[in-house]
């Protein structure tokens, strides 16, 4: 288990070097929980190390965390030029090595085993898709059909076909045949991923249709449109992976009682489809749209994840009693993974070897991602953390006003008066400690923005280079380990690990002291006074 802990820490730090620490922990959290449950290890043993390595990983590159960029800009404004992309890396690697060594040393003694090491299922039953299919006899009524080249179905929409009314056949899902993708006839967009099912959903050559209906009705469909029958496949291939199946129990006070699905406009309102319905021991599969809903009815509902989540919030009308589990959905643009890696490497190379501003390099990389189809312009826009942008935009003029009003000079004069005669290292320690303490109560970005002008003033009054002081601010703002509420990273692991406030104090305080000593030794070596 301790080797697993070390491996997880290194992976987290590597991710955190190139993206936000909060985003990194959000990605690693389900992975680490699954690892813990798979190998029977308490998640409490793993999650604090993940949080700490994410914070320390923020010291590995210039773009890893906003305080690094704030310090770099303040250094440039002071006339000393910006920090290089990997200029902090030697110090960051040393701090990461100390953090990993510390956790590996105290792993058995300090990390608690509070969270259970096995999944505690509650709320509703978890079933495989195969079990759901057996419960509702779907395997006898589900059929997979391929639309071959030359079929009259090509280009038709579901509204035009009107199969539920005219042929008693319901389309459950539409995805793309892998052979058609291999031949280059179809893109990978709908490979193992269903199209959004609605009246205007189009059917194309190479599509796989998952339909529900009687054998004779489906036989007529195959004959009329020249379709090809396919095997349903294994449990993981029974339905496209981006669809969820849940069982809903109608509550006594439900607004659905006494109304039919067509009256409720269920498909349009909830963007989901009722595939089957049970009333007691009776299975209802025909003319579902016209069935009047009663108290105690159980509905088998199919929809995309977002639609199902919205439906589950309607707890006044129905409660979920089981859900079909399925393999994780593939990445939406998995076929372009190699392009994403190439663009990322090119971005890092440009940051390291060219004099282009960082924001220009990053913007060019984003445009390349969009042009290559790795993500859409809308997805890129939605990924921007606008609260962080507004926070920084608001804090920068506040810091400028603080400096212009003489606040930074006043605090810098006080520090010089108290510690100036003791040399540069005590001054550096005071700036670093101020950043650590400020980050305990403020965000790391806010702390860096407020303390950067003070660090510059301290260096100016002492006749020293501002570089080590600004680096100390950046490192201190990324190294607040003692409080569970000092960083979103710690907050994310607090509940899953079932930690207490004292856990962070007991584990984080020695690490805080160790990294403080290391910082005060390393910073002057790489950034002389």
């Amino acid at each position: 288990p301790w080797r697993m802990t070390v491996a997880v820490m290194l992976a987290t730090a590597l991710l955190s070097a190139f993206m936000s620490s909060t985003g990194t922990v959000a990605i690693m959290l389900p992975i680490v929980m699954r690892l813990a449950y798979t190998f029977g290890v308490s998640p409490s043993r793993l999650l604090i190390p993940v949080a700490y390595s994410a914070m320390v990983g923020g010291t590995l590159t210039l773009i890893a965390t906003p305080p690094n960029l704030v310090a770099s800009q303040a250094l440039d404004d002071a006339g000393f030029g910006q920090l290089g992309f990997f200029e902090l890396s030697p110090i960051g690697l040393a701090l990461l090595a100390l953090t990993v060594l510390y956790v590996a040393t105290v792993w058995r003694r300090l990390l608690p085993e509070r969270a259970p090491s096995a999944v505690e299922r509650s709320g509703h039953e978890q079933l495989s898709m195969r079990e759901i299919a057996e419960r509702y006899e779907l395997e006898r009524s589900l059929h997979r059909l391929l639309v071959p080249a030359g079929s009259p179905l090509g280009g038709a929409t579901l509204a035009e076909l009107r199969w539920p009314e005219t042929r008693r056949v319901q389309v459950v899902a539409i995805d793309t045949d892998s052979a058609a993708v291999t031949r280059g006839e179809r893109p990978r967009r709908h490979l193992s991923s269903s199209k959004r099912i609605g009246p205007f959903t189009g059917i194309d050559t190479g599509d796989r249709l998952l339909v529900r209906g009687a054998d004779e009705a489906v036989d007529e469909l195959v004959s009329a449109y020249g379709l090809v029958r396919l095997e349903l496949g294994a449990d993981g291939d029974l339905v496209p992976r981006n669809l969820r199946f849940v069982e809903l129990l109608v509550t006594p006070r439900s607004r659905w009682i006494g109304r039919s699905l067509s009256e409720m406009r269920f498909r349009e309102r909830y963007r989901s489809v009722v595939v089957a319905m049970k009333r007691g021991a009776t299975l209802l599969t025909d003319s579902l749209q016209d069935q009047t809903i009663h108290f105690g009815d159980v509905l088998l509902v199919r929809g995309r994840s977002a639609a199902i989540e919205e439906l589950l919030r309607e707890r006044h009308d129905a409660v979920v009693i089981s859900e079909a589990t399925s393999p994780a959905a593939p990445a939406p643009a998995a076929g372009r993974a190699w392009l994403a890696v190439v663009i990322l490497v090119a971005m890092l190379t440009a940051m390291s070897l060219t004099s282009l501003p960082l924001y220009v390099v990053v913007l060019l990389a984003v445009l390349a991602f969009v042009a290559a189809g790795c993500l859409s312009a809308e997805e890129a826009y939605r990924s921007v953390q606008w609260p962080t942008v507004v926070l920084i935009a608001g804090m920068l003029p506040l810091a400028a006003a603080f400096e212009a009003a003489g606040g930074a000079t006043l605090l810098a004069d006080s520090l010089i008066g108290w510690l100036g005669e003791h040399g540069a290292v005590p001054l550096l320690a005071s700036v670093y400690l101020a950043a650590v303490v400020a980050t305990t109560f403020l965000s790391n970005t806010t702390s860096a923005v407020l303390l950067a002008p003070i660090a510059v003033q301290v260096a100016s009054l002492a006749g020293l280079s501002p570089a080590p002081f600004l680096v100390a601010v950046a490192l201190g703002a990324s190294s607040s380990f003692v409080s569970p509420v000092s960083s979103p990273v710690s907050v994310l692991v607090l509940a899953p690990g079932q930690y207490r406030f004292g856990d962070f104090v007991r584990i984080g305080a020695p690490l805080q002291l160790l990294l403080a000593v290391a910082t005060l030794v390393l910073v002057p070596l790489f950034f002389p006074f």
Side-chain angles (χ1 to χ4, degrees):
W2 71 267
R3 284 182 292 182
M4 184 197 308
T5 305
V6 171
V8 165
M9 290 181 70
L10 294 176
T12 303
L14 179 63
L15 276 180
S16 186
F18 302 103
M19 61 185 296
S20 76
S21 56
T22 305
T24 298
V25 173
I27 289 173
M28 293 298 297
L29 189 57
I31 298 173
V32 172
M33 296 294 285
R34 175 65 62 87
L35 278 174
Y37 293 148
T38 299
F39 294 101
V41 178
S42 171
S44 305
R45 292 277 195 167
L46 299 172
L47 292 179
I48 278 183
V50 165
Y52 286 172
S53 58
M55 285 189 270
V56 177
T59 65
L60 293 176
T61 65
L62 185 60
I63 64 169
T65 186
N68 298 351
L69 295 170
V70 170
S72 178
Q73 187 60 50
L75 189 63
D76 189 41
D77 293 341
F80 288 81
Q82 294 189 348
L83 294 172
F85 186 76
F86 290 110
E87 202 164 350
L88 294 175
S89 299
I91 299 175
L93 288 171
L95 297 182
L96 176 62
L98 286 173
T99 303
V100 172
L101 181 62
Y102 170 79
V103 170
T105 304
V106 305
W107 187 83
R108 292 187 181 279
R109 293 189 297 107
L110 294 183
L111 287 167
E113 287 189 81
R114 200 166 292 120
S117 57
V119 179
E120 292 185 332
R121 290 179 176 171
S122 60
H124 58 267
E125 187 179 7
Q126 301 285 327
L127 302 174
S128 70
M129 190 61 228
R130 185 66 62 181
E131 290 172 319
I132 287 283
E134 291 174 357
R135 179 174 294 186
Y136 287 89
E137 302 177 6
L138 293 181
E139 289 189 308
R140 293 194 300 178
S141 60
L142 282 180
H143 309 268
R144 175 157 284 147
L145 309 175
L146 173 65
V147 182
S151 171
L153 270 185
T157 65
L158 296 183
E160 295 169 352
L161 297 172
R162 300 181 66 243
W163 283 352
E165 298 84 2
T166 61
R167 296 184 177 273
R168 298 287 184 179
V169 172
Q170 181 185 28
V171 176
V172 177
I174 304 175
D175 64 353
T176 297
D177 181 42
S178 59
V181 174
T182 302
R183 292 193 299 267
E185 300 171 357
R186 293 293 307 279
R188 293 177 173 269
R189 181 180 177 189
H190 297 298
L191 189 63
S192 299
S193 176
S194 176
K195 297 179 179 179
R196 191 183 301 276
I197 303 298
F200 303 106
T201 302
I203 299 177
D204 302 301
T205 299
D207 277 348
R208 297 192 313 173
L209 310 180
L210 186 67
V211 300
R212 186 180 62 81
D215 284 340
E216 55 272 16
V218 175
D219 287 338
E220 292 177 5
L221 205 66
V222 169
S223 176
Y225 294 99
L227 305 178
V228 178
R229 281 185 177 270
L230 301 175
E231 293 293 330
L232 280 180
D235 184 42
D237 191 44
L238 190 59
V239 294
R241 296 179 180 179
N242 63 331
L243 297 181
R244 289 171 62 183
F245 281 73
V246 294
E247 282 185 300
L248 299 179
L249 176 66
V250 179
T251 63
R253 298 179 183 178
S254 174
R255 294 168 295 181
W256 300 353
I257 294 175
R259 305 171 67 190
S260 68
L261 296 175
S262 57
E263 289 175 23
M264 295 165 53
R265 299 178 61 84
F266 191 93
R267 182 196 289 265
E268 292 80 4
R269 180 175 179 181
Y270 296 111
R271 296 175 295 149
S272 304
V273 175
V274 177
V275 178
M277 184 186 302
K278 268 192 172 183
R279 184 167 296 153
T282 305
L283 179 63
L284 309 174
T285 55
D286 295 329
S287 303
L288 291 180
Q289 295 298 315
D290 301 322
Q291 291 282 354
T292 301
I293 296 178
H294 298 173
F295 159 59
D297 283 352
V298 178
L299 312 181
L300 178 63
V301 180
R302 184 272 298 154
R304 293 190 172 207
S305 184
I308 293 296
E309 290 297 332
E310 181 179 340
L311 179 60
L312 296 185
R313 288 194 284 270
E314 302 282 340
R315 296 182 181 178
H316 178 83
D317 298 312
V319 294
V320 60
I321 56 175
S322 74
E323 178 174 359
T325 58
S326 60
R336 297 178 177 85
W338 67 273
L339 273 174
V341 173
V342 169
I343 294 169
L344 179 63
V345 171
M347 181 191 75
L348 298 177
T349 303
M351 286 177 166
S352 307
L353 303 179
T354 71
S355 57
L356 286 173
L358 289 179
Y359 63 86
V360 172
V361 176
V362 173
L363 181 59
L364 289 174
V366 171
L367 292 175
F369 277 123
V370 174
C374 297
L375 79 167
S376 66
E378 182 183 359
E379 289 169 333
Y381 182 81
R382 287 202 309 264
S383 71
V384 176
Q385 300 296 315
W386 294 112
T388 301
V389 173
V390 173
L391 172 66
I392 296 175
M395 290 305 301
L396 288 174
L398 177 61
F402 180 70
E403 185 176 4
T409 302
L410 178 63
L411 290 176
D413 284 339
S414 300
L415 286 175
I416 293 294
W418 296 335
L419 302 172
E421 62 183 21
H422 299 292
V425 174
L427 284 175
L428 186 68
S430 66
V431 170
Y432 175 82
L433 180 61
V436 171
V437 173
T439 306
T440 304
F441 304 100
L442 303 171
S443 74
N444 59 358
T445 305
T446 304
S447 301
V449 169
L450 287 175
L451 290 172
I454 297 175
V456 172
Q457 286 290 340
V458 168
S460 176
L461 292 173
L464 303 171
S465 168
F469 294 92
L470 287 169
V471 169
V473 168
L475 297 178
S478 301
S479 308
S480 186
F481 305 109
V482 177
S483 170
V485 295
S486 61
S487 168
V489 169
S490 300
V491 174
L492 277 176
V493 304
L494 188 61
Q498 297 186 15
Y499 295 119
R500 299 168 184 162
F501 192 96
D503 294 329
F504 285 84
V505 175
R506 187 177 68 256
I507 301 168
L511 178 61
Q512 189 86 69
L513 182 60
L514 176 65
L515 295 191
V517 172
T519 299
L520 296 178
V521 171
L522 293 171
V523 169
L525 291 178
F526 291 94
F527 299 92
F529 293 110

